[in-house]
Amino acid sequence: MLNNVKVVLVGTSHSGNIGSAARAMKVMGLNNMVLVAPGCEVDGQAIALAAGASDIALNATVVETLEDAVKDCALVVGSSARSRTLEWPMLEPRECGEKCAAEGQQSQVAIVFGRERTGLTNDELQLCHYHVCIPANPEYSSLNLAMAVQTIAYEIRVAFLEQQKQNFVPQAEGEYPRHEELEMFFEHLEKVMIDTQFISADQPNKVMSKLRRLFNRARPEQQELNTLRGVLTAVEKKMGSR
């Protein structure tokens, strides 16, 4: 299960943070690191701060966009402070660990961490099914990147060990679509809504943002998503026959 957990670092600007995050991961049994458009290289400082976990940093997958990093993942959780402007399903770290451990039994999952100074953008956060917020001291909530990775990685390991202790057998659940397939559905949905003039082609974002939140909260299974795509296709055929 632990091999199915991706730790995705977006726009990391200091190489030492990559090394420290690798160390935090390896201590908890995670080894799958993905770097999205890093602003630095895995250099000597990264290797030094990895302290024996340099293999994780050196073998990290490097991609250009967050979409590329999570396209094969059935569950994507973004690390975020609680936002008043972007309402999204929130998880506590313990809930996040349990959900990753459960879904990681049968599919790839990703935990996404943003830039050291600015975190994740709203567009990046909207690519996540859930957000996780670490309930730090409100009077001093300054967590560095490696601390955040360590906290969430610890919760995933605790949940994993609890599964092992209870001889966990995952319940039969429907297969969830990969992130890439979900994005194709959103593109199809937007196209049909524009074609039916439900939304304006030059201002689709407000409605699409709400619908993304709706479907991410609902977590449609693969068959359910196929049904929704079928409905959209039927609407297109009906429009074309007029």
Side-chain angles (χ1 to χ4, degrees):
M1 184 282 294
L2 295 177
N3 290 333
N4 281 338
V5 180
K6 290 185 181 183
V7 174
V8 181
L9 309 183
V10 178
T12 310
S13 58
H14 301 293
S15 62
N17 287 334
I18 295 176
S20 297
R23 181 180 182 180
M25 289 171 59
K26 192 163 188 175
V27 167
M28 295 301 155
L30 304 181
N31 55 43
N32 194 349
M33 174 183 282
V34 182
L35 304 176
V36 177
C40 59
E41 297 181 352
V42 179
D43 57 14
Q45 185 180 23
I47 301 303
L49 290 178
S54 59
D55 56 316
I56 293 178
L58 290 170
N59 292 321
T61 301
V62 181
V63 297
E64 287 300 316
T65 66
L66 181 55
E67 290 94 332
D68 291 334
V70 302
K71 63 183 180 182
D72 60 345
C73 295
L75 172 67
V76 182
V77 182
S79 177
S80 169
R82 294 186 183 273
S83 172
R84 295 181 180 178
T85 60
L86 185 65
E87 295 181 4
W88 217 257
M90 296 292 303
L91 297 174
E92 297 295 334
R94 185 61 47 90
E95 295 176 299
C96 177
E98 292 169 350
K99 188 169 286 292
C100 287
E103 298 200 22
Q105 293 283 338
Q106 58 186 5
S107 58
Q108 292 273 322
V109 302
I111 307 297
V112 184
F113 298 88
R115 300 156 189 84
E116 289 94 334
R117 293 186 61 188
T118 59
L120 296 167
T121 66
N122 278 356
D123 286 342
E124 289 164 344
L125 286 168
Q126 289 191 61
L127 295 177
C128 304
H129 296 105
Y130 297 94
H131 298 168
V132 60
C133 178
I134 298 172
N137 177 5
E139 296 180 4
Y140 186 72
S141 58
S142 179
L143 282 171
N144 66 32
L145 178 59
M147 288 177 179
V149 172
Q150 185 77 84
T151 300
I152 303 303
Y154 167 77
E155 294 294 352
I156 293 172
R157 184 163 187 81
V158 167
F160 166 71
L161 293 176
E162 187 64 26
Q163 289 177 353
Q164 298 290 92
K165 185 167 60 177
Q166 297 178 4
N167 294 318
F168 177 82
V169 177
Q171 296 180 351
E173 294 184 359
E175 180 183 356
Y176 287 108
R178 293 174 299 168
H179 186 273
E180 185 176 32
E181 294 166 325
L182 197 58
E183 286 301 309
M184 291 172 63
F185 163 69
F186 287 134
E187 291 174 7
H188 195 178
L189 177 61
E190 182 176 332
K191 178 180 179 300
V192 171
M193 289 196 298
I194 290 173
D195 290 345
T196 58
Q197 299 183 343
F198 183 78
I199 60 175
S200 171
D202 57 350
Q203 290 183 327
N205 291 339
K206 186 173 182 179
V207 172
M208 282 306 302
S209 177
K210 290 182 178 180
L211 289 173
R212 276 178 171 271
R213 188 164 67 242
L214 168 65
F215 284 109
N216 278 320
R217 185 170 64 245
R219 295 292 309 283
E221 296 175 0
Q222 183 68 62
Q223 288 187 341
E224 295 170 331
L225 193 69
N226 292 342
T227 300
L228 291 170
R229 291 293 300 271
V231 170
L232 295 176
T233 299
V235 171
E236 289 177 316
K237 289 181 178 179
K238 187 67 173 178
M239 291 176 61
S241 66
R242 291 182 177 179

PDB file of all heavy atoms in Angstrom, residues 190 193-194 199-209:
ATOM      1  N   GLU A 190     -18.258  20.770 -19.627  1.00  0.00           N
ATOM      2  CA  GLU A 190     -18.173  22.191 -19.972  1.00  0.00           C
ATOM      3  C   GLU A 190     -18.579  22.420 -21.425  1.00  0.00           C
ATOM      4  O   GLU A 190     -19.309  23.370 -21.738  1.00  0.00           O
ATOM      5  CB  GLU A 190     -16.754  22.704 -19.729  1.00  0.00           C
ATOM      6  CG  GLU A 190     -16.586  24.185 -20.023  1.00  0.00           C
ATOM      7  CD  GLU A 190     -15.212  24.701 -19.680  1.00  0.00           C
ATOM      8  OE1 GLU A 190     -14.569  24.122 -18.764  1.00  0.00           O
ATOM      9  OE2 GLU A 190     -14.761  25.670 -20.321  1.00  0.00           O
ATOM     10  N   MET A 193     -22.377  22.159 -21.775  1.00  0.00           N
ATOM     11  CA  MET A 193     -23.059  23.305 -21.175  1.00  0.00           C
ATOM     12  C   MET A 193     -22.912  24.549 -22.040  1.00  0.00           C
ATOM     13  O   MET A 193     -23.828  25.374 -22.118  1.00  0.00           O
ATOM     14  CB  MET A 193     -22.525  23.549 -19.766  1.00  0.00           C
ATOM     15  CG  MET A 193     -22.941  22.491 -18.762  1.00  0.00           C
ATOM     16  SD  MET A 193     -22.713  23.007 -17.045  1.00  0.00           S
ATOM     17  CE  MET A 193     -20.949  23.259 -17.013  1.00  0.00           C
ATOM     18  N   ILE A 194     -21.759  24.687 -22.698  1.00  0.00           N
ATOM     19  CA  ILE A 194     -21.576  25.819 -23.613  1.00  0.00           C
ATOM     20  C   ILE A 194     -22.440  25.636 -24.854  1.00  0.00           C
ATOM     21  O   ILE A 194     -23.114  26.567 -25.312  1.00  0.00           O
ATOM     22  CB  ILE A 194     -20.088  25.959 -23.998  1.00  0.00           C
ATOM     23  CG1 ILE A 194     -19.271  26.435 -22.785  1.00  0.00           C
ATOM     24  CG2 ILE A 194     -19.913  26.942 -25.157  1.00  0.00           C
ATOM     25  CD1 ILE A 194     -17.772  26.448 -23.013  1.00  0.00           C
ATOM     26  N   ILE A 199     -24.080  27.890 -20.017  1.00  0.00           N
ATOM     27  CA  ILE A 199     -23.059  28.833 -19.552  1.00  0.00           C
ATOM     28  C   ILE A 199     -22.484  29.547 -20.759  1.00  0.00           C
ATOM     29  O   ILE A 199     -22.586  29.075 -21.892  1.00  0.00           O
ATOM     30  CB  ILE A 199     -21.927  28.153 -18.756  1.00  0.00           C
ATOM     31  CG1 ILE A 199     -21.207  27.105 -19.621  1.00  0.00           C
ATOM     32  CG2 ILE A 199     -22.446  27.535 -17.489  1.00  0.00           C
ATOM     33  CD1 ILE A 199     -20.000  26.485 -18.926  1.00  0.00           C
ATOM     34  N   SER A 200     -21.872  30.681 -20.499  1.00  0.00           N
ATOM     35  CA  SER A 200     -21.254  31.462 -21.564  1.00  0.00           C
ATOM     36  C   SER A 200     -19.831  30.958 -21.804  1.00  0.00           C
ATOM     37  O   SER A 200     -19.096  30.661 -20.870  1.00  0.00           O
ATOM     38  CB  SER A 200     -21.226  32.938 -21.180  1.00  0.00           C
ATOM     39  OG  SER A 200     -20.454  33.681 -22.108  1.00  0.00           O
ATOM     40  N   ALA A 201     -19.440  30.884 -23.052  1.00  0.00           N
ATOM     41  CA  ALA A 201     -18.107  30.372 -23.402  1.00  0.00           C
ATOM     42  C   ALA A 201     -16.997  31.252 -22.863  1.00  0.00           C
ATOM     43  O   ALA A 201     -15.887  30.777 -22.605  1.00  0.00           O
ATOM     44  CB  ALA A 201     -17.978  30.251 -24.918  1.00  0.00           C
ATOM     45  N   ASP A 202     -17.273  32.547 -22.666  1.00  0.00           N
ATOM     46  CA  ASP A 202     -16.216  33.443 -22.198  1.00  0.00           C
ATOM     47  C   ASP A 202     -16.179  33.578 -20.676  1.00  0.00           C
ATOM     48  O   ASP A 202     -15.278  34.203 -20.136  1.00  0.00           O
ATOM     49  CB  ASP A 202     -16.362  34.831 -22.833  1.00  0.00           C
ATOM     50  CG  ASP A 202     -17.728  35.455 -22.549  1.00  0.00           C
ATOM     51  OD1 ASP A 202     -18.606  34.738 -22.039  1.00  0.00           O
ATOM     52  OD2 ASP A 202     -17.892  36.650 -22.833  1.00  0.00           O
ATOM     53  N   GLN A 203     -17.141  32.971 -19.963  1.00  0.00           N
ATOM     54  CA  GLN A 203     -17.130  33.031 -18.499  1.00  0.00           C
ATOM     55  C   GLN A 203     -17.607  31.711 -17.889  1.00  0.00           C
ATOM     56  O   GLN A 203     -18.618  31.674 -17.178  1.00  0.00           O
ATOM     57  CB  GLN A 203     -18.006  34.180 -18.009  1.00  0.00           C
ATOM     58  CG  GLN A 203     -17.451  35.566 -18.305  1.00  0.00           C
ATOM     59  CD  GLN A 203     -18.333  36.655 -17.721  1.00  0.00           C
ATOM     60  OE1 GLN A 203     -19.547  36.519 -17.634  1.00  0.00           O
ATOM     61  NE2 GLN A 203     -17.716  37.746 -17.311  1.00  0.00           N
ATOM     62  N   PRO A 204     -16.890  30.614 -18.138  1.00  0.00           N
ATOM     63  CA  PRO A 204     -17.358  29.318 -17.623  1.00  0.00           C
ATOM     64  C   PRO A 204     -16.875  28.989 -16.218  1.00  0.00           C
ATOM     65  O   PRO A 204     -17.385  28.068 -15.586  1.00  0.00           O
ATOM     66  CB  PRO A 204     -16.734  28.332 -18.622  1.00  0.00           C
ATOM     67  CG  PRO A 204     -15.440  28.988 -19.001  1.00  0.00           C
ATOM     68  CD  PRO A 204     -15.699  30.477 -18.985  1.00  0.00           C
ATOM     69  N   ASN A 205     -15.900  29.750 -15.729  1.00  0.00           N
ATOM     70  CA  ASN A 205     -15.167  29.294 -14.544  1.00  0.00           C
ATOM     71  C   ASN A 205     -16.000  29.223 -13.280  1.00  0.00           C
ATOM     72  O   ASN A 205     -15.840  28.314 -12.473  1.00  0.00           O
ATOM     73  CB  ASN A 205     -13.951  30.192 -14.295  1.00  0.00           C
ATOM     74  CG  ASN A 205     -12.886  30.018 -15.368  1.00  0.00           C
ATOM     75  OD1 ASN A 205     -12.872  28.988 -16.045  1.00  0.00           O
ATOM     76  ND2 ASN A 205     -12.031  30.997 -15.529  1.00  0.00           N
ATOM     77  N   LYS A 206     -16.907  30.192 -13.065  1.00  0.00           N
ATOM     78  CA  LYS A 206     -17.660  30.222 -11.808  1.00  0.00           C
ATOM     79  C   LYS A 206     -18.542  28.987 -11.656  1.00  0.00           C
ATOM     80  O   LYS A 206     -18.531  28.317 -10.626  1.00  0.00           O
ATOM     81  CB  LYS A 206     -18.498  31.495 -11.733  1.00  0.00           C
ATOM     82  CG  LYS A 206     -19.192  31.668 -10.392  1.00  0.00           C
ATOM     83  CD  LYS A 206     -19.877  33.018 -10.306  1.00  0.00           C
ATOM     84  CE  LYS A 206     -20.528  33.207  -8.939  1.00  0.00           C
ATOM     85  NZ  LYS A 206     -21.196  34.530  -8.828  1.00  0.00           N
ATOM     86  N   VAL A 207     -19.293  28.663 -12.694  1.00  0.00           N
ATOM     87  CA  VAL A 207     -20.165  27.487 -12.643  1.00  0.00           C
ATOM     88  C   VAL A 207     -19.343  26.213 -12.601  1.00  0.00           C
ATOM     89  O   VAL A 207     -19.620  25.292 -11.836  1.00  0.00           O
ATOM     90  CB  VAL A 207     -21.126  27.471 -13.856  1.00  0.00           C
ATOM     91  CG1 VAL A 207     -21.896  26.157 -13.908  1.00  0.00           C
ATOM     92  CG2 VAL A 207     -22.085  28.643 -13.768  1.00  0.00           C
ATOM     93  N   MET A 208     -18.278  26.143 -13.421  1.00  0.00           N
ATOM     94  CA  MET A 208     -17.451  24.939 -13.459  1.00  0.00           C
ATOM     95  C   MET A 208     -16.771  24.690 -12.128  1.00  0.00           C
ATOM     96  O   MET A 208     -16.607  23.547 -11.695  1.00  0.00           O
ATOM     97  CB  MET A 208     -16.415  25.043 -14.578  1.00  0.00           C
ATOM     98  CG  MET A 208     -16.961  24.777 -15.974  1.00  0.00           C
ATOM     99  SD  MET A 208     -17.826  23.180 -16.132  1.00  0.00           S
ATOM    100  CE  MET A 208     -16.539  22.034 -15.633  1.00  0.00           C
ATOM    101  N   SER A 209     -16.390  25.749 -11.444  1.00  0.00           N
ATOM    102  CA  SER A 209     -15.758  25.585 -10.140  1.00  0.00           C
ATOM    103  C   SER A 209     -16.723  24.938  -9.148  1.00  0.00           C
ATOM    104  O   SER A 209     -16.350  24.037  -8.389  1.00  0.00           O
ATOM    105  CB  SER A 209     -15.281  26.941  -9.605  1.00  0.00           C
ATOM    106  OG  SER A 209     -14.720  26.803  -8.313  1.00  0.00           O
TER     107      SER A 209
END
